[in-house]
Amino acid sequence: DAGVTQSPTHLIKTRGQQVTLRCSPKSGHDTVSWYQQALGQGPQFIFQYYEEEERQRGNFPDRFSGHQFPNYSSELNVNALLLGDSALYLCASRFQSYEQYFGPGTRLTVT
Amino acid sequence: RKEVEQDPGPFNVPEGATVAFNCTYSNSASQSFFWYRQDCRKEPKLLMSVYSSGNEDGRFTAQLNRASQYISLLIRDSKLSDSATYLCVVNTGNQAGTALIFGKGTTLSVSS
């Protein structure tokens, strides 16, 4: 039973560029959430997708957008990258219960 | 006031010690509570959910006090492998929205 998977594992981008991160939820899960974790901080909620719609959004600018596909996988897009966007981006999935399970994350470095 | 507050530590304890972590949350409408464990440069992993009646899983005991908006985690007989950051996590959403709100984490270092 595969857990949550994310790609790529690492990414280096330049300021102003755009990036797309991908997530496949744990088998049987239908809800995907994205979190940003800066160094030394706890993860911060970006948004959540269910039935291919954004259901809830945290305090992140519109540069952060996402999508969920019919197979429940999801993408996180960040436009006009800033140095402050450098972080570990985590995807979490769940099905019905409140317990969420995290993927290994994508470490994004913006230079 | 931050939504979820934890003492960042670090807590440095010898093997076999008992250690307790505390956490407070600000939103009285919070519905679900968890402790996650995060190893260095890895993803958070669910350690245990926290129930009003308190719950135990082996050497780990979690307690919830809704009146005081306080959550605790007790680790007995600490092992070297318990060294990690422990994240206190609260969910305030309903079924349609279940964002997890994380504390900054408490670092535990267990030494031999």
Side-chain angles (χ1 to χ4, degrees):
Chain A
D1 176 21
V4 180
T5 60
Q6 292 185 242
S7 64
T9 54
H10 295 85
L11 204 51
I12 300 175
K13 290 286 190 179
T14 304
R15 275 180 300 177
Q17 287 188 316
Q18 178 264 344
V19 68
T20 297
L21 310 182
R22 296 177 175 81
C23 170
S24 290
K26 183 178 169 65
S27 178
H29 287 189
D30 59 2
T31 304
V32 173
S33 299
W34 287 91
Y35 294 82
Q36 179 195 67
Q37 186 174 24
L39 204 60
Q41 303 294 315
Q44 298 290 313
F45 174 71
I46 303 175
F47 42 53
Q48 181 179 84
Y49 278 84
Y50 171 66
E51 292 185 333
E52 302 178 51
E53 290 187 13
E54 183 183 294
R55 298 290 178 157
Q56 194 178 7
R57 189 178 183 92
N59 189 25
F60 278 80
D62 292 345
R63 299 187 296 108
F64 290 77
S65 63
H67 189 77
Q68 185 179 36
F69 299 94
N71 67 352
Y72 309 120
S73 67
S74 177
E75 288 182 351
L76 163 66
N77 301 292
V78 187
N79 295 322
L81 284 166
L82 303 173
L83 294 179
D85 295 332
S86 295
L88 179 66
Y89 288 84
L90 295 158
C91 170
S93 72
R94 70 177 190 92
F95 174 71
Q96 294 189 345
S97 93
Y98 288 105
E99 294 178 354
Q100 299 189 27
Y101 295 87
F102 285 82
T106 294
R107 192 163 298 278
L108 172 65
T109 301
V110 182
T111 63
Chain B
R1 182 180 173 187
K2 292 189 194 291
E3 291 190 79
V4 179
E5 292 201 68
Q6 296 180 248
D7 179 348
F11 284 64
N12 298 304
V13 303
E15 275 186 292
T18 294
V19 62
F21 304 139
N22 303 318
C23 164
T24 57
Y25 60 95
S26 62
N27 189 334
S28 59
S30 299
Q31 298 185 4
S32 305
F33 309 88
F34 310 93
W35 284 100
Y36 277 73
R37 170 197 167 125
Q38 187 171 28
D39 294 290
C40 188
R41 300 180 74 81
K42 299 283 192 180
E43 74 272 24
K45 293 191 175 175
L46 180 63
L47 181 65
M48 56 199 304
S49 301
V50 187
Y51 305 116
S52 295
S53 55
N55 47 304
E56 186 173 310
D57 182 3
R59 298 181 293 109
F60 299 84
T61 300
Q63 296 278 349
L64 167 65
N65 184 322
R66 284 187 185 268
S68 301
Q69 296 180 203
Y70 171 96
I71 307 161
S72 66
L73 177 68
L74 183 75
I75 305 175
R76 291 180 298 278
D77 189 23
S78 298
K79 311 290 185 192
L80 293 175
S81 58
D82 293 334
S83 297
T85 296
Y86 290 83
L87 297 160
C88 177
V89 186
V90 170
N91 166 266
T92 56
N94 54 30
Q95 196 63 15
T98 53
L100 297 180
I101 310 300
F102 284 79
K104 286 189 174 182
T106 298
T107 300
L108 172 65
S109 178
V110 182
S111 56
S112 58

